[in-house]
Amino acid sequence: MDREIERVLLTETELSERVSELGAQVTSVYRDKLGAEPLIAVGMLKGAFVFLADLVRNIELYCEIDFLTVSSYGNLTESSGQILIKKDVSFDARGRHILLVEDIVDSGYTMNFVQNMLRARSPASLALVSLLDKPSRRKVPVTIDYLGFSIPDEFVVGYGLDFAGRHRNLPYIGVLNPAVYGSAD
Ligand code: IMP
Ligand code: MG
């Protein structure tokens, strides 16, 4: 195992089982809800790219894909609460059924901002699926409609999540060795 990883928190098998359950859940909820317009899954770049790719292959409905990139100033492991849109979605949200796809909700600043922004555009519905949640870190409220796993307050990487750009390509979710960022804070 990589020396920057302290331990594995969620294995590849645990992830794939949970992601297929989430896909089935989304499928059953939206099956009768969608009109002529397909569902649109909006992945939060970059962290959600792996989760989104696995999730949509478990959704058995017509489903469009889009992406949103935001940045938040802060240090390496904590958000400052100031969110900036770096790349907006490329569709007209009015009347659409939007499923936001996020890797992890931490302070909640990012999802709180994005949910308010998209809700103001009058979609037919707006829901959030997040692979991970760190509820003990919440600063502002966020409703997570579909959740993969609730995890303790530890910095995790892999399956799309990074530290300083590294480890997104790990097939599992691991706890970062605190020695890696301890000196950077
Ligand atoms: P929030 O705005 O504090 O909720 O932060 C959400 C964003 O911070 C996520 O989309 C991640 O990009 C990043 N983040 C929060 N916690 C972690 C973590 O444990 N590992 C990797 N990235 C994280
Ligand atoms: Mg993110």
Side-chain angles (χ1 to χ4, degrees):
M1 197 171 49
D2 191 289
R3 62 182 179 80
E4 292 198 347
I5 310 299
E6 190 177 70
R7 66 177 202 283
V8 175
L9 187 66
L10 296 163
T11 65
E12 207 171 340
T13 306
E14 287 170 322
L15 289 166
S16 88
E17 284 175 3
R18 189 69 189 118
V19 173
S20 75
E21 287 171 3
L22 289 172
Q25 203 184 341
V26 167
T27 303
S28 74
V29 170
Y30 285 91
R31 180 158 274 144
D32 301 320
K33 193 169 164 165
L34 297 175
E37 298 266 31
L39 179 66
I40 183 150
V42 175
M44 297 296 303
L45 291 178
K46 301 174 186 170
F49 83 106
V50 177
F51 175 44
L52 176 94
D54 283 347
L55 179 71
V56 296
R57 282 178 286 177
N58 285 281
I59 295 178
E60 296 177 24
L61 298 166
Y62 291 130
C63 179
E64 294 178 0
I65 313 290
D66 209 309
F67 295 98
L68 183 59
T69 311
V70 303
S71 70
S72 76
Y73 291 106
N75 63 23
L76 288 171
T77 61
E78 250 177 275
S79 164
S80 66
Q82 276 179 279
I83 313 297
L84 276 184
I85 301 295
K86 299 199 83 173
K87 191 209 86 72
D88 205 337
V89 296
S90 56
F91 63 93
D92 181 359
R94 179 171 298 274
R96 299 300 306 268
H97 289 282
I98 301 174
L99 179 65
L100 266 173
V101 183
E102 176 63 307
D103 52 359
I104 184 166
V105 182
D106 184 43
S107 67
Y109 288 132
T110 308
M111 275 304 105
N112 183 281
F113 179 91
V114 169
Q115 285 179 325
N116 287 336
M117 179 187 88
L118 292 176
R119 211 174 280 121
R121 297 178 185 178
S122 308
S125 71
L126 177 66
L128 169 62
V129 55
S130 184
L131 179 67
L132 304 174
D133 183 20
K134 280 195 229 174
S136 64
R137 301 255 306 170
R138 201 72 89 253
K139 299 263 176 52
V140 290
V142 170
T143 302
I144 303 176
D145 302 274
Y146 311 96
L147 175 65
F149 303 90
S150 189
I151 64 166
D153 180 10
E154 292 180 292
F155 198 84
V156 293
V157 294
Y159 199 71
L161 291 97
D162 76 307
F163 172 76
R166 300 196 290 277
H167 307 306
R168 292 192 197 277
N169 57 326
L170 293 175
Y172 57 85
I173 301 251
V175 175
L176 190 71
N177 188 334
V180 178
Y181 59 80
S183 55
D185 272 354

